[in-house]
Amino acid sequence: MKTLSLLLGAVAFASTTLALITPAFAAQTLYKPFPADVMPSLSDSGPHDVGVRTIEAAYPTTVKDITGSEVKRALTLEVWYPAGSETQAAIYKNETRSGQAFEIQSDAYRDAPIAQDDQKFPVVIISHGYTGYRTLMYYLGEHLASHGYVVAAIDHTDSTNKDVNFAENPYSGFPSTLLNRSRDQILTLKAVSENAFFESRVDATNAGVIGYSMGGYGAVSTVGGCYAFDDTSAATFTGTQDPKTTALVKQVLNTCAGGNEDSSAVLPAWKAALALAPWGGQHQLFDVDSLNNIKVPVLYVAGDNDDISGYDGIKWLFENTGSKDTKLLTVKNARHNVAPHPAPKEAYSSEFDLGSYIEPAWEVQKLNAINEHFALALMNCHVKALPDFCKYLNVQGTSAQVPVDGKKPEPWKGFDDRWALGLEMQSK
């Protein structure tokens, strides 16, 4: 896992002095070379080299903002895909919540030609939290692309570290976030399927969506959960105080599947959703009947000490989601940061920055590998319809292998003996 960036870093060190390192090799690597046996098996990279390219996606017409006004909206997307050959390794440039710029050395090749396989590649959409950036879960983008997916991650306009001054005005982008998460996810699927570079190589009729925190809030809506803001929640989370304005805001927010009136508008392309620490359940901001009618398999992942989205709120979403294939993976002794990549070195100067990356009791790289494992199992099972991968999802109860009548249970499928501690799976 993550071997290319380690190799590149070693080559740079061996062939130059620190004073002569070029910017291309100054980017940091975030992953250690753990032995494969300590990581879940489906976290291993797939057979494809990975390409990556940045594209822009604009809404074809104006859309309503939180006040009901018509505005233009556009997104920046990072898209990973199976590559046909290698080019220059990509560097991801981002900034922390306090605006500290950093660079990450990737395992993907910038603007490499796309692989020309016999079959087209399904599409997976990745949606970050509030705030964040499009490469916050780049490890999932690279991983799924290596296994034959085109994966598009979104910079949600108004909701990134770059857009929001979190120290001085932390909620400035939150109204836009509430409104746009789901419809940005749907636009992204359309944008990738119509992009000149990808359109002939993607199968946009088979797609999955992955959302973290507010991205998970959007993903639940994208697959059929309708928002159900009342006057109090609409005013609280958008900062409106005038009753007439609150009524308008509530009307704009209370939509389904990307701004539609009801869940009949859910695209048949969606075959699976991975909701990582999704927000909204703790405030019951979804209509229960619409959750009951969700047909798309949803895998919820939650820390049992999540103090942002609330573990009980995520359990509420799981318990009310109707799909028979819905599952809840609980990460014991974890809080909210179950999805981001490991912290860059620039984040270690303050808790303000570091607090959006690390977990108090977990090694973040292990959490990333667990996400890779179950994301691939979910997408291969339901998006590619490969039944052998469903077995990796059909684990149950605790992963701890606690002896029963003096006998230690077998480890979960895909995990080596002793290396799945701290997880629990519930099914419908």
Side-chain angles (χ1 to χ4, degrees):
M1 176 177 161
K2 317 300 179 212
T3 55
L4 174 63
S5 59
L6 293 166
L7 176 61
L8 288 172
V11 170
F13 183 80
S15 60
T16 107
T17 66
L18 288 175
L20 297 176
I21 290 178
T22 63
F25 289 93
Q28 61 198 285
T29 59
L30 299 181
Y31 291 96
K32 307 167 189 174
F34 279 104
D37 290 348
V38 307
M39 296 296 186
S41 62
L42 296 188
S43 68
D44 288 346
S45 297
H48 297 280
D49 288 329
V50 176
V52 62
R53 89 170 19 206
T54 306
I55 66 174
E56 304 297 324
Y59 280 77
T61 61
T62 58
V63 295
K64 288 184 178 181
D65 66 11
I66 198 70
T67 66
S69 301
E70 296 290 331
V71 297
K72 293 181 179 179
R73 184 171 176 82
L75 308 171
T76 300
L77 311 176
E78 201 78 357
V79 189
W80 296 272
Y81 52 91
S85 62
E86 299 177 1
T87 57
Q88 183 178 6
I91 291 173
Y92 306 134
K93 298 181 179 182
N94 297 297
E95 61 183 70
T96 66
R97 276 187 169 174
S98 69
Q100 300 295 313
F102 62 89
E103 296 183 355
I104 298 171
Q105 181 66 62
S106 82
D107 282 350
Y109 298 100
R110 177 64 65 186
D111 295 326
I114 193 167
Q116 299 297 312
D117 288 15
D118 293 336
Q119 296 182 336
K120 294 184 177 182
F121 304 116
V123 180
V124 176
I125 307 303
I126 294 180
S127 181
H128 65 74
Y130 179 83
T131 52
Y133 41 85
R134 64 186 184 271
T135 55
L136 187 70
M137 293 170 278
Y138 76 89
Y139 64 93
L140 281 177
E142 293 180 357
H143 183 64
L144 291 172
S146 77
H147 286 275
Y149 292 87
V150 170
V151 186
I154 308 166
D155 255 1
H156 289 283
T157 302
D158 310 319
S159 189
T160 65
N161 285 351
K162 183 179 180 180
D163 293 336
V164 177
N165 185 332
F166 209 87
E168 297 181 6
N169 195 4
Y171 301 112
S172 61
F174 205 68
S176 173
T177 301
L178 294 172
L179 179 63
N180 289 307
R181 272 301 188 270
S182 179
R183 60 187 194 183
D184 284 354
Q185 292 165 8
I186 292 168
L187 173 75
T188 297
L189 177 61
K190 181 178 175 64
V192 171
S193 67
E194 295 178 353
N195 181 271
F197 184 80
F198 295 108
E199 62 180 348
S200 67
R201 299 298 307 125
V202 300
D203 174 14
T205 65
N206 289 292
V209 60
I210 298 172
Y212 167 49
S213 193
M214 294 306 300
Y217 154 92
V220 172
S221 179
T222 291
V223 298
C226 299
Y227 299 130
F229 288 82
D230 59 21
D231 288 344
T232 300
S233 57
T236 298
F237 295 119
T238 63
T240 56
Q241 298 182 12
D242 175 65
K244 291 183 179 179
T245 304
T246 298
L248 177 61
V249 166
K250 185 174 69 171
Q251 181 180 0
V252 171
L253 286 175
N254 284 344
T255 60
C256 253
N260 292 283
E261 291 185 1
D262 56 55
S263 57
S264 65
V266 173
L267 296 176
W270 301 117
K271 301 298 193 295
L274 175 58
L276 299 155
W279 187 87
Q282 76 274 44
H283 304 295
Q284 300 190 9
L285 296 180
F286 293 87
D287 172 72
V288 172
D289 287 341
S290 69
L291 292 174
N292 293 166
N293 288 326
I294 288 176
K295 304 296 190 296
V296 177
V298 182
L299 173 59
Y300 292 98
V301 178
D304 64 355
N305 286 283
D306 190 322
D307 53 354
I308 302 298
S309 293
Y311 181 63
D312 287 343
I314 300 169
K315 283 185 66 177
W316 180 84
L317 288 170
F318 160 70
E319 290 164 355
N320 285 289
T321 298
S323 170
K324 64 181 178 60
D325 293 311
T326 295
K327 296 179 180 293
L328 171 62
L329 177 66
T330 298
V331 185
K332 296 292 187 178
N333 296 316
R335 292 199 183 277
H336 188 65
N337 294 334
V338 296
H341 62 65
K345 63 179 183 292
E346 289 81 359
Y348 280 83
S349 60
S350 71
E351 189 277 337
F352 181 74
D353 281 336
L354 193 59
S356 62
Y357 293 102
I358 69 167
E359 275 293 317
W362 276 84
E363 218 282 352
V364 171
Q365 183 168 334
K366 185 64 180 288
L367 290 175
N368 289 178
I370 291 167
N371 291 340
E372 289 175 332
H373 174 87
F374 283 106
L376 183 60
L378 181 72
M379 299 304 163
N380 277 1
C381 173
H382 296 293
V383 178
K384 288 188 177 181
L386 300 173
D388 284 350
F389 286 87
C390 303
K391 299 173 184 176
Y392 294 92
L393 299 171
N394 292 334
V395 294
Q396 192 65 21
T398 178
S399 65
Q401 296 181 271
V402 176
V404 178
D405 296 330
K407 296 183 63 176
K408 186 170 70 173
E410 291 294 312
W412 279 7
K413 184 172 177 60
F415 289 80
D416 273 17
D417 187 48
R418 302 179 64 246
W419 289 105
L421 185 67
L423 303 175
E424 181 178 288
M425 184 74 86
Q426 298 175 61
S427 301
K428 300 298 288 187

